[in-house]
Amino acid sequence: MDALLNRRPPTSFEQLRDNPLLFLARKAYYLGINRLSLPVPSSSPVRIVCISDTHSSHAEIPSLPEGDILIHAGDLTHSGTPKELQSALQWLADQPHPYKIYIAGNHDQALDGPSADLASLLDAFPSLTYLHESSITLTIRGRSLHIYGSPLTPKHGSWPFQYPRNALERAHWSEIPPHTDVLVTHGPPAYHADGGSGCAGLLAALWNVRPRLHVFGHIHAARVLRMLPGRRRRPHMSGSVLELEDGGILSLSYWESGDEV
């Protein structure tokens, strides 16, 4: 299990050896992406701290950076037991961030239990917001942010919160509200920090919705932070700290926590 949860990312040589054409195409594509400039900062940015795939190791995580919003993109637990989940949620609730949001990951089986048990568990942590194909609107210093979260990932094994790759309609990506500013999913879109396992349906939804920020995890060896061009600048990222401006991102600083399957 340790080899699964702590896989090293493939080296550039391994990527080139496995698929030379794809390796060169990606290098060319991101050469242009990496030249995007950040907007000029204002006096009141919204700061978001993003983590994912802590897998019951939260006690070993150093102090999190300060921020207005803390987002956990799923896989809070290792084995998915109620005891593990309660411990992870208590740790999350103890963080000082004014707003704390989380979604489930495929390891978080306790969040896939009977509705009565789930309601009781969620009620025990009123300072946390759990998103399951649902949204919340936060107003911070006069700015409203619409945040949508979904735990769903393409099927791999017998984990919960999955859908068949040949039945993308069961992922309900078309239900992401068009005004979403921050999208939180457990899994990545195709071709972006996905280790070859991303969802093409999610990618298509991103091009339609174009959130300012997409936070995801799931693929441990593919953690990265990127700015992408489009109607609104929007980063794909994991384990990072950022500050949001009306025009996009004010500042980015990498903070490693994780990203996985």
Side-chain angles (χ1 to χ4, degrees):
M1 183 61 74
D2 184 67
L4 173 67
L5 299 180
N6 298 293
R7 283 174 289 182
R8 66 169 178 80
T11 65
S12 294
F13 174 76
E14 289 170 336
Q15 295 177 57
L16 178 62
R17 178 198 61 198
D18 294 342
N19 195 325
L21 184 59
L22 181 60
F23 175 80
L24 294 175
R26 281 177 171 163
K27 286 295 184 183
Y29 176 72
Y30 289 117
L31 182 63
I33 295 298
N34 291 335
R35 292 178 178 175
L36 290 172
S37 59
L38 298 176
V40 178
S42 75
S43 59
S44 59
V46 174
R47 199 164 196 247
I48 301 178
V49 180
C50 307
I51 59 176
S52 184
D53 295 80
T54 47
H55 288 287
S56 296
S57 64
H58 43 272
E60 304 168 17
I61 295 176
S63 297
L64 298 179
E66 295 180 357
D68 300 295
I69 306 172
L70 172 60
I71 295 177
H72 195 302
D75 275 359
L76 298 95
T77 64
H78 184 74
S79 301
T81 66
K83 182 178 181 180
E84 282 187 345
L85 184 60
Q86 285 195 346
S87 175
L89 293 181
Q90 185 61 64
W91 172 82
L92 202 61
D94 289 341
Q95 301 307 308
H97 307 77
Y99 300 98
K100 296 176 278 283
I101 298 169
Y102 69 101
I103 63 171
N106 55 296
H107 280 256
D108 299 323
Q109 298 187 57
L111 288 170
D112 193 37
S115 57
D117 293 344
L118 179 59
S120 176
L121 178 65
L122 300 182
D123 288 346
F125 298 96
S127 66
L128 305 181
T129 298
Y130 173 57
L131 296 181
H132 180 95
E133 297 187 81
S134 57
S135 299
I136 185 174
T137 299
L138 302 179
T139 300
I140 301 173
R141 292 186 290 281
R143 291 191 52 203
S144 293
L145 288 177
H146 304 282
I147 304 172
Y148 180 89
S150 171
L152 300 178
T153 54
K155 187 170 180 59
H156 181 80
S158 58
W159 302 99
F161 307 114
Q162 296 190 335
Y163 55 91
R165 284 188 178 272
N166 60 356
L168 294 180
E169 69 279 1
R170 291 171 61 179
H172 310 142
W173 298 131
S174 62
E175 297 180 10
I176 300 173
H179 58 276
T180 296
D181 295 303
V182 180
L183 175 63
V184 186
T185 62
H186 182 56
Y191 313 121
H192 294 278
D194 70 335
S197 300
C199 177
L202 177 55
L203 179 65
L206 282 165
W207 283 113
N208 287 327
V209 177
R210 297 178 183 253
R212 297 180 184 276
L213 168 67
H214 181 200
V215 185
F216 57 86
H218 197 42
I219 308 298
H220 289 192
R223 55 182 175 266
V224 72
L225 185 152
R226 291 190 180 122
M227 286 281 295
L228 300 180
R231 187 176 59 207
R232 302 191 288 183
R233 297 184 189 276
R234 62 198 190 290
H236 287 239
M237 49 113 59
S238 64
S240 304
V241 185
L242 60 88
E243 295 177 343
L244 278 176
E245 285 292 335
D246 275 329
I249 294 184
L250 165 63
S251 67
L252 303 172
S253 58
Y254 187 76
W255 183 84
E256 181 174 329
S257 171
D259 226 23
E260 147 150 3
V261 175

